Amino acid sequence: MGLWMPLSSNRKPWGLRWRSSVWFITTVVGFGITTDLLVYSIVIPVLPFQLERLSYRKVSSLTGWLLCAYSAGLVFSTIPIAMHSERYSMRRMPLILGLIALIASQVMFMEAPNYAVMAVARVLQGISSSMVWIVGLALLCDTTPEKNVGKQLGIAMTGLSIGLLVGSPAGGALYTRFGFRAPFIFGEICAFVDLGLRLLIIERDVALKWGHDPSAPTAVIMKGALDASSTSDIQLSSLPTAQVHGSTTEINEVEDPMVPDKSRLPNARKLSIARKPIMDPALVRRPISLLSVIIKLSQSPRAMVALFMSFVYGLVQSMQEPSLPLHLQSIWEFNSDRVGLAYLAAVVPALISSPLAGFYVDRVGPNYITFICLLLTLPWWIVLTLRHSLPLFIFALAAQCFFVSGVVAPVTTELASVSRKMPGVGYAHIYGAFNLAFGIGTAVGPVIGGQIYDHARHGWTALCCITSALILVCVTLAFCYTGDDPLLAKVLRHYYPIDSIRKHSDEESNSTDNTSRTHIVSRAESA
């Protein structure tokens, strides 16, 4: 079978089970996120030198605008990608096209003769990034059982930390040893490996056509539902197409020409059972307009809180990008190598926190994990304002990165849960909104951080205070709104049980009724 069209013939795709399995899809999405962040960060150490080689001045400002161009491509492409992917129930092909765009942007950037071509290449790279963050996460949620979504998202999100961990050091080392093109060639090699993995993907709705449900393998066994002696000529490809979350394909009966009258088969009852939709009809969704999606999301406090947290995460992470190196240089006289080591110390803990948070989200829910991670992030930003101890500063930087990275898995899990409860709103819609919020945060964050650090008297302290205030707001919102059963509701039920309130209300009502009856009887006797 070809890789481009796995169902272009009546033959069953090779490797159906493992190519559509939850763990393979998680691996592909995680590696896609790694490639995206690696390609994004690998050029950051070499951009100033290349701009200087092309005789540009004000290199720092030009570098910042190139980073902004990436965010602009990400933000403006989010809505059409999300709507198109959900309307046509496409996951695999947008991922492939996005990676081709990424490879093209790398070649364009590597051979760029001027700044304008560099900016176009970064915009194209931002569009490619939207593909993996919207369509990739939607594909993962399509395939994964609801009870394991948090764990799989947490594992996939480690790609974010790995990409950042490898990107900048590899870019600097390759540039120093082999020249300007070396970092881009390394990124293209990773992209081609990623392309090979994406070509192997079999989406869940395709697997369902062949009698295999990757999210519940034991629930779909066609041999047990069909009697081989009476239905040997019936191909699995003639089974109805079940619809995955957010898809628009209808379930239709497809008559098999080999069997003129299936109602007369001895095992017709078994056949009809097997031909029922595999998916719950409640999950069948119709495409809705962009305006309807916006209205539905704006009416959900859970969705708005999760999206606000996504915005704050992007804002906080990007605000420190231009200011942290300058702060380390001014207080402890760090050079670029030592700044890189500081970033390394901050990123490594995130490799643990994301899958760990995802693991516990599936067990206790996103409300506890989100609240705890945000609450434990808060004090470390206060510690970061201290200037007396470098080891303490590095430890605080690593600790806040550990806890703030632990928020990503529960927030993305929360968005998936919200989407499942909104008729017409699919995973691509909800992760498109997530990508939009995060992209806006990363677009304005470096500008805000740079301006505050340059113009405030104590710029780094001001940034830490602003970050602490934003995190405090997120802690409050998480306590009040996150999860099917928010922590605030739990607390209120604990201290003000509904049963006792109802009992007290009933007692007051009975007391009033008894008083009224006594008063009526006394009046009757007196009469």
Side-chain angles (χ1 to χ4, degrees):
M1 294 293 299
L3 292 177
W4 286 97
M5 297 296 291
L7 285 178
S8 57
S9 72
N10 291 328
R11 292 175 56 193
K12 181 179 179 180
W14 64 273
L16 173 65
R17 289 185 176 274
W18 68 266
R19 288 172 60 189
S20 62
S21 67
V22 172
W23 282 104
F24 180 72
I25 300 299
T26 303
T27 301
V28 174
V29 174
F31 191 80
I33 294 174
T34 301
T35 302
D36 176 60
L37 269 297
L38 184 145
V39 169
Y40 169 82
S41 60
I42 201 170
V43 299
I44 293 177
V46 305
L47 279 179
F49 301 101
Q50 179 66 3
L51 291 172
E52 288 178 354
R53 191 179 71 83
L54 295 174
S55 303
Y56 285 101
R57 297 180 180 180
K58 298 182 179 179
V59 170
S60 178
S61 175
L62 292 176
T63 302
W65 282 111
L66 284 178
L67 298 177
C68 185
Y70 169 88
S71 298
L74 185 146
V75 169
F76 288 112
S77 65
T78 289
I79 292 177
I81 289 173
M83 298 301 294
H84 185 275
S85 176
E86 204 60 53
R87 176 174 293 275
Y88 298 102
S89 186
M90 296 173 64
R91 304 288 192 243
R92 177 174 173 269
M93 190 53 64
L95 287 174
I96 293 172
L97 295 176
L99 203 52
I100 293 174
L102 178 63
I103 295 171
S105 72
Q106 288 291 91
V107 175
M108 185 184 299
F109 207 122
M110 181 173 63
E111 302 297 333
N114 53 50
Y115 186 79
V117 177
M118 287 183 174
V120 173
R122 291 297 277 184
V123 170
L124 192 59
Q125 186 181 334
I127 296 173
S128 170
S129 179
S130 291
M131 294 289 190
V132 70
W133 282 101
I134 298 172
V135 184
L137 294 182
L139 172 65
L140 183 57
C141 290
D142 284 340
T143 309
T144 307
E146 182 178 345
K147 63 179 182 179
N148 295 329
V149 166
K151 181 179 69 174
Q152 302 305 126
L153 283 172
I155 294 171
M157 288 300 172
T158 56
L160 193 153
S161 302
I162 295 173
L164 293 175
L165 184 65
V166 175
S168 294
L174 290 170
Y175 176 81
T176 302
R177 187 171 180 84
F178 300 106
F180 176 71
R181 287 183 173 86
F184 296 95
I185 293 174
F186 179 73
E188 289 167 11
I189 292 172
C190 294
F192 275 110
V193 174
D194 193 7
L195 179 61
L197 291 174
R198 296 189 192 189
L199 286 170
L200 291 171
I201 290 174
I202 294 180
E203 298 181 47
R204 186 186 178 198
D205 59 342
V206 175
L208 289 171
K209 293 178 182 178
W210 295 94
H212 174 62
D213 186 356
S215 67
T218 58
V220 185
I221 303 175
M222 307 312 294
K223 288 183 179 180
L226 299 174
D227 188 344
S229 63
S230 61
T231 60
S232 58
D233 292 329
I234 300 177
Q235 297 181 359
L236 291 177
S237 59
S238 68
L239 291 174
T241 301
Q243 181 169 14
V244 296
H245 179 94
S247 169
T248 60
T249 305
E250 295 183 359
I251 301 172
N252 297 317
E253 289 287 330
V254 181
E255 296 296 331
D256 193 327
M258 301 296 295
V259 184
D261 188 0
K262 289 189 282 290
S263 63
R264 298 181 181 178
L265 289 172
N267 290 8
R269 175 175 166 75
K270 294 182 179 179
L271 178 62
S272 64
I273 293 174
R275 294 171 63 89
K276 288 182 179 180
I278 296 172
M279 296 293 292
D280 185 349
L283 295 178
V284 176
R285 310 202 175 189
R286 301 295 181 187
I288 59 176
S289 65
L290 173 62
L291 181 60
S292 299
V293 173
I294 294 173
I295 292 174
K296 284 177 177 290
L297 291 178
S298 63
Q299 292 175 343
S300 170
R302 290 178 63 188
M304 297 306 296
V305 167
L307 294 175
F308 178 75
M309 291 180 188
S310 305
F311 168 77
V312 171
Y313 177 79
L315 182 69
V316 168
Q317 291 294 93
S318 59
M319 271 201 309
Q320 59 180 308
E321 287 180 357
S323 54
L324 180 59
L326 297 175
H327 179 69
L328 291 171
Q329 182 185 35
S330 63
I331 303 300
W332 290 288
E333 299 181 353
F334 270 34
N335 56 21
S336 59
D337 293 335
R338 297 182 70 188
V339 169
L341 291 175
Y343 272 113
L344 189 66
V347 170
V348 168
L351 298 175
I352 306 171
S353 63
S354 185
L356 191 65
F359 177 82
Y360 282 106
V361 162
D362 290 333
R363 281 153 179 77
V364 300
N367 47 3
Y368 285 103
I369 304 302
T370 306
F371 178 76
I372 291 172
C373 286
L374 287 170
L375 190 63
L376 295 178
T377 301
L378 188 58
W380 298 111
W381 276 101
I382 299 173
V383 174
L384 286 172
T385 61
L386 304 178
R387 305 184 178 189
H388 305 295
S389 173
L390 177 60
L392 179 62
F393 183 90
I394 298 299
F395 182 83
L397 187 66
Q400 70 83 22
C401 188
F402 177 87
F403 289 114
V404 79
S405 297
V407 176
V408 180
V411 166
T412 50
T413 305
E414 173 78 348
L415 289 171
S417 177
V418 169
S419 175
R420 285 190 292 268
K421 294 175 173 59
M422 282 188 180
V425 178
Y427 289 130
H429 291 140
I430 202 76
Y431 286 125
F434 163 78
N435 196 56
L436 187 64
F438 178 78
I440 293 173
T442 56
V444 302
V447 178
I448 295 174
Q451 292 296 317
I452 292 176
Y453 188 86
D454 288 339
H455 295 89
R457 184 175 180 182
H458 300 286
W460 177 253
T461 302
L463 282 174
C464 291
C465 291
I466 292 172
T467 301
S468 299
L470 289 172
I471 293 174
L472 185 60
V473 172
C474 289
V475 169
T476 306
L477 292 175
F479 182 78
C480 296
Y481 295 106
T482 298
D484 291 323
D485 189 14
L487 297 180
L488 177 61
K490 293 179 181 292
V491 172
L492 291 177
R493 281 201 307 272
H494 178 74
Y495 289 100
Y496 305 99
I498 296 177
D499 292 339
S500 64
I501 294 174
R502 288 177 177 174
K503 183 178 179 181
H504 180 68
S505 177
D506 292 341
E507 289 177 352
E508 288 184 349
S509 178
N510 293 335
S511 176
T512 303
D513 291 342
N514 292 334
T515 304
S516 300
R517 291 192 186 102
T518 304
H519 182 67
I520 292 172
V521 170
S522 61
R523 289 183 60 184
E525 290 177 349
S526 62

